[in-house]
Amino acid sequence: MTTPATGTVRRRLTVRGTVQGVGFRPYVHRLAVDLALAGFVSNTASGVLIEVEGPPDGVLRFCDRLAQQPPPLAAVTGIGHEDLPATGTTDPFAIRPSARSTGRTQLPPDTATCADCLRELADPADRRHRHPFITCTHCGPRFTIATAMPYDRPVTTMAGFPLCTACAREYADPADRRFHAQPVACPDCGPRLRLVPAPGTGVRPARDGEALAAARALLGAGGIVAVKGVGGYHLACEATDARAVAGLRARKERGGKAFAVMCRDLGTVREIADLTEREEAVLTGPRRPIVLLRRATRPGALRLAGQVCPGSPHVGVLLPYTPVHTLLLGLAGDPPGPRVLVMTSGNRSGEPIVTDDEEALTRLAGIADAWLTHDRPIASPCDDSVLRVRPDGTEQVLRRSRGHVPRPLRLPVTVRPALAVGGDLKNAPCLGEGDLAWFGPHIGDMGDLATLEAARRAERHLLRLTGVTPELVAADRHPGYHSARWARERAAGLPVPEPVLVQHHHAHIASAMAEHGHDGTTPVIGVAFDGTGYGDDGTVWGGEVLLADYAGHRRFARLTPAPLPGGDAGVANPCRLALARLWAAGLPWDPGLPSVAACAPEELTLLRRQLERRLACVQTSSVGRLFDAVSSLVGVCHRAGYEAQAALELEAAATGAQEGDPVAYPFGLTTGPGPLDCDPAPMLRALLADQRRGTPAPVLAARFHRGLARAVAEICRRARTATGLTTVVLSGGVFANGLLEEECAALLAADGLTVLRHREVPANDGGLALGQLVVAAHTARHAPTG
């Protein structure tokens, strides 16, 4: 609305999206001052509120630039406009204190140290030279320090660090990069580092720069250091020191599971791994995840200790994302020290990541030789994200946590306020309301009370930051899941007092549909392959082709079931699973088979009796268990020390097979009154025949992968013929296998089918909660009332 006397207009803008903690208000201030406009900007619970006043052309340019050129870390999802009467004010444009109001805004994820801060960190003339907590509006912690919204320093874990005069001046200066940067600090007023040595190490306690130097020296001497990061503790050691790596593995009780490594710089990454341009871009981007890379085998490559990632052609690599990491690996001119560190979660295997300082001293005792810690509290645990880059350049997130959380996902359907608790493995809860869903950080496996309590804390933190008040809870149907029991407790007293239970593989498929924007009104052909999921018939499912939408699912095909000796406890013995598969297929246990040789005579006797009498043998259609069986049959892995070890090692073997081999082992497809059966018996016969001919294990493994992919393609062709459906979803933890996923996707696309693969949402159980959310929302929306 124009004021005739002055020729000015005033407009109110409400900006929604990720617009707090990203320097949005300082950006708005600079933009308004540049255009000589009056007014103000303020944070609200709904986002950012702006009122701007001045000449019509100036206000128009302001609005255009705001929409088209937001700050680098901002993600604007909407801008509301409202004309107001001009006031005629000549006061300068101002940043007002945050307004308390109803509504919701979006907090950005933690972000890696920006280039400007890194330059200051290394500049001896800068007052933040070597400051371990250097940050600005373009980088640093957000999610892990925020305790409430709107996002302001008093509601972060920086509240206990009053700004010194110099930092306060920068914070209040609109021209400064740290203008209203909530984590801003310096050596005079910020958090402090200290090194706490374990008794008997001979290392002396130290603070600040001396603490870093001592920790670096300890790592160089083969020690293990617990390093406090932004989202929890890591356990670090020199990655080229075989003795240190083996010691960490033993102390952490890690078994044979691979470690991730942190490299000093991109040049060091190139010395240990082969990099594509896209992988390089992801590694150096602001999220700084762990990226799975092919290990370099060329002459002169930097050799990691064999125990870093035993039996794998890949290594998980990340670059420093905090100033502490950068300083620990050394600046230019520093004394020689480690260039590659094992950087693994600070916990004993199976426990949640440690964030509390006192707890770290007790829970990591006996593992760490020293603790490099600091006095800034962590508001929420947030482990490192993990992903791989596909050959087509798209990303497949395998663990969605730091760098992603709490950025919401846009939903294709509207959901009532709800909490989905996920499953018991790779747990990550999810909140939803309206057209948005927020994943919590990766929690881990619900194996004990500590992990369950970590999940509860993560939910409470997410509730505070999103303002969602759940009216219903969704969970897996498995009656023995800890997460399902949690859901029943959580649902008590809510408008929907019982949790909505969602079948495991239906949730997997719905998760991918939601990620790709499908509204669920048209069914898809859903291929859900994983290790374990509670089936509709009470058996263990895991090799399913479902015709599914959000309303329900029908089992179109399955892997032919076989006994699972010992139930879940039997998963640790792939050799037994192999023999159970042979028994189910009517194939003999030849003494020369690797799986037979791996079992003691009395074990074979007991297993045969168990199978014949069906004692403690649940039926399973799991493709994950088939991978375990084949891994043992080809002689790769007979006893598994961690989840999916046999399958991972089988994939690694297949990756090493020579190219150009067209052979694919056949699977039988039989029809009957129930679902189509995908029978592995023909595959097993062909594999054993090749093995007797002396075919190498990598070739056997590759032919199995190829045959399974062709079976998937044939089943989907039959599903299209039967139903007319043309969209295929690939979901479940088995599709973290890059070889199988790529082969399936290529064959299905060649058949003219549309293939949906996970990108930002994990295909494994880490993405399960999103599927539970949309299925439960549909169920609740269509439930009878009264």
Side-chain angles (χ1 to χ4, degrees):
M1 184 179 299
T2 304
T3 301
T6 61
T8 61
V9 298
R10 188 175 185 90
R11 182 169 293 181
R12 175 181 292 157
L13 298 96
T14 52
V15 188
R16 300 179 300 279
T18 305
V19 290
Q20 293 187 21
V22 295
F24 204 90
R25 289 180 300 168
Y27 165 78
V28 169
H29 185 280
R30 287 191 290 271
L31 180 57
V33 170
D34 183 51
L35 295 171
L37 301 176
F40 69 88
V41 59
S42 173
N43 279 344
T44 72
S46 301
V48 169
L49 173 67
I50 304 167
E51 289 191 14
V52 63
E53 183 170 331
D57 62 333
V59 171
L60 181 61
R61 278 190 292 160
F62 175 90
C63 295
D64 287 344
R65 286 172 61 180
L66 186 71
Q68 296 170 14
Q69 302 171 3
L73 299 183
V76 176
T77 58
I79 302 179
H81 294 260
E82 180 185 357
D83 289 329
L84 301 173
T87 65
T89 181
T90 58
D91 292 339
F93 193 90
I95 293 181
R96 289 186 179 176
S98 297
R100 301 286 167 179
S101 63
T102 59
R104 177 181 298 116
T105 192
Q106 296 165 21
L107 184 71
D110 293 3
T111 305
T113 316
C114 70
D116 288 333
C117 284
L118 287 174
R119 277 192 293 270
E120 293 173 347
L121 186 72
D123 182 2
D126 193 277
R127 73 186 191 91
R128 290 188 176 85
H129 179 228
R130 293 186 174 275
H131 177 48
F133 304 96
I134 192 168
T135 184
C136 70
T137 53
H138 299 148
C139 67
R142 300 295 190 271
F143 172 72
T144 54
I145 64 170
T147 58
M149 295 294 283
Y151 177 70
D152 276 311
R153 193 177 181 98
V155 289
T156 72
T157 58
M158 291 297 297
F161 301 94
L163 292 171
C164 67
T165 302
C167 285
R169 184 167 55 248
E170 292 170 338
Y171 185 86
D173 181 1
D176 196 281
R177 196 173 84 253
R178 295 184 171 89
F179 184 41
H180 281 254
Q182 308 308 337
V184 67
C186 75
D188 293 333
C189 64
R192 308 296 291 271
L193 278 178
R194 63 189 179 111
L195 185 75
V196 181
T201 59
V203 178
R204 299 180 61 181
R207 290 188 174 275
D208 300 324
E210 291 181 1
L212 271 164
R216 195 158 177 260
L218 183 57
L219 289 166
I224 297 169
V225 179
V227 181
K228 186 178 181 182
V230 292
Y233 278 81
H234 285 102
L235 289 164
C237 73
E238 164 64 75
T240 60
D241 186 330
R243 186 173 179 179
V245 175
L248 175 56
R249 187 171 291 284
R251 294 186 200 179
K252 186 178 161 75
E253 301 168 7
R254 179 78 170 182
K257 194 173 183 181
F259 285 129
V261 299
M262 179 178 283
C263 292
R264 177 179 176 179
D265 51 32
L266 201 56
T268 306
V269 177
R270 293 192 184 103
E271 291 187 53
I272 67 169
D274 297 324
L275 269 177
T276 66
E277 284 188 19
R278 180 60 188 152
E279 287 167 340
E280 182 175 318
V282 175
L283 269 174
T284 58
R287 293 176 301 169
R288 295 289 168 95
I290 296 170
V291 182
L292 296 184
L293 303 174
R294 280 298 297 265
R295 296 172 66 178
T297 56
R298 60 186 178 276
L302 181 64
R303 296 299 178 192
L304 301 177
Q307 286 293 304
V308 169
C309 40
S312 174
H314 296 92
V315 58
V317 179
L318 76 166
L319 288 171
Y321 57 87
T322 73
V324 170
H325 296 143
T326 300
L327 294 168
L328 193 61
L329 284 157
L331 298 178
D334 280 352
R339 291 193 297 144
V340 187
L341 294 174
V342 166
M343 198 65 77
T344 186
S345 303
N347 54 12
R348 293 185 190 273
S349 292
E351 295 180 355
I353 188 171
V354 178
T355 58
D356 179 78
D357 299 333
E358 292 303 315
E359 191 178 2
L361 293 173
T362 56
R363 280 180 55 193
L364 302 181
I367 303 178
D369 297 313
W371 289 256
L372 183 63
T373 185
H374 58 77
D375 55 354
R376 182 178 67 199
I378 296 172
S380 175
C382 202
D383 218 331
D384 297 319
S385 293
V386 182
L387 61 82
R388 72 179 181 95
V389 178
R390 298 185 176 105
D392 66 1
T394 59
E395 299 173 21
Q396 183 187 25
V397 173
L398 303 174
R399 185 167 77 194
R400 189 179 191 276
S401 204
R402 180 188 51 77
H404 292 272
V405 175
R407 189 178 69 245
L409 298 163
R410 184 73 58 180
L411 294 175
V413 292
T414 300
V415 301
R416 67 190 294 183
L419 164 68
V421 300
D424 269 21
L425 299 180
K426 298 178 175 61
N427 182 267
C430 185
L431 286 174
E433 183 174 2
D435 64 348
L436 294 176
W438 294 264
F439 268 105
H442 167 82
I443 302 299
D445 297 349
M446 295 283 203
D448 55 28
L449 290 175
T451 314
L452 185 57
E453 182 52 38
R456 291 190 177 109
R457 287 197 303 269
E459 182 224 345
R460 290 194 293 268
H461 187 237
L462 206 58
L463 290 173
R464 287 192 296 270
L465 298 186
T466 62
V468 174
T469 302
E471 297 176 4
L472 65 89
V473 180
D476 194 275
R477 282 186 186 170
H478 196 301
Y481 270 8
H482 299 289
S483 54
R485 288 199 290 272
W486 171 33
R488 286 192 288 273
E489 296 170 10
R490 188 65 180 79
L494 296 183
V496 181
E498 292 290 332
V500 179
L501 302 180
V502 181
Q503 199 278 326
H504 190 91
H505 302 96
H506 186 199
H508 271 309
I509 295 163
S511 173
M513 292 171 68
E515 182 182 3
H516 282 273
H518 275 245
D519 64 8
T521 56
T522 302
V524 300
I525 303 166
V527 183
F529 286 176
D530 62 5
T532 299
Y534 188 73
D536 291 340
D537 57 3
T539 65
V540 178
W541 286 10
E544 315 309 315
V545 180
L546 307 180
L547 308 178
D549 54 22
Y550 297 151
H553 63 279
R554 177 168 69 86
R555 200 181 192 190
F556 180 81
R558 65 176 184 176
L559 184 73
T560 302
L564 179 59
D568 289 344
V571 174
N573 297 287
C575 53
R576 297 182 192 175
L577 302 180
L579 298 179
R581 264 291 166 194
L582 294 181
W583 185 86
L587 296 171
W589 294 359
D590 257 350
L593 285 176
S595 304
V596 175
C599 295
E602 58 271 20
E603 185 178 5
L604 291 172
T605 301
L606 287 172
L607 179 61
R608 189 180 298 277
R609 186 178 304 149
Q610 188 177 10
L611 292 169
E612 289 172 347
R613 299 180 182 180
R614 300 184 180 182
L615 296 173
C617 285
V618 298
Q619 290 292 105
T620 181
S621 60
S622 167
V623 168
R625 300 292 77 83
L626 180 64
F627 266 84
D628 294 343
V630 172
S631 185
S632 176
L633 285 171
V634 303
V636 169
C637 179
H638 302 300
R639 311 287 181 182
Y642 60 90
E643 184 202 0
Q645 177 180 351
L648 287 168
E649 293 184 3
L650 184 68
E651 180 190 2
T655 302
Q658 61 185 11
E659 297 181 3
D661 175 17
V663 177
Y665 292 141
F667 282 72
L669 296 177
T670 58
T671 58
L676 181 69
D677 261 323
C678 178
D679 186 0
M683 177 273 297
L684 294 170
R685 284 192 289 270
L687 185 151
L688 294 179
D690 272 353
Q691 192 173 53
R692 284 192 290 271
R693 285 190 283 266
T695 305
V699 176
L700 301 176
R703 291 175 176 178
F704 163 69
H705 278 77
R706 207 174 291 123
L708 182 57
R710 292 187 186 179
V712 169
E714 176 58 28
I715 291 169
C716 290
R717 279 193 290 269
R718 295 192 185 192
R720 176 177 56 187
T721 300
T723 65
L725 300 176
T726 58
T727 298
V728 177
V729 165
L730 304 180
S731 191
V734 167
F735 285 110
N737 180 316
L739 282 182
L740 180 67
E741 194 211 39
E742 292 298 328
E743 184 77 11
C744 286
L747 292 173
L748 292 166
D751 281 341
L753 292 160
T754 300
V755 184
L756 304 184
R757 299 190 282 174
H758 285 277
R759 294 189 178 184
E760 187 173 343
V761 177
N764 57 41
D765 284 7
L768 204 63
L770 179 64
Q772 292 173 352
L773 186 75
V774 292
V775 170
H778 186 281
T779 301
R781 191 161 52 242
H782 294 86
T785 58

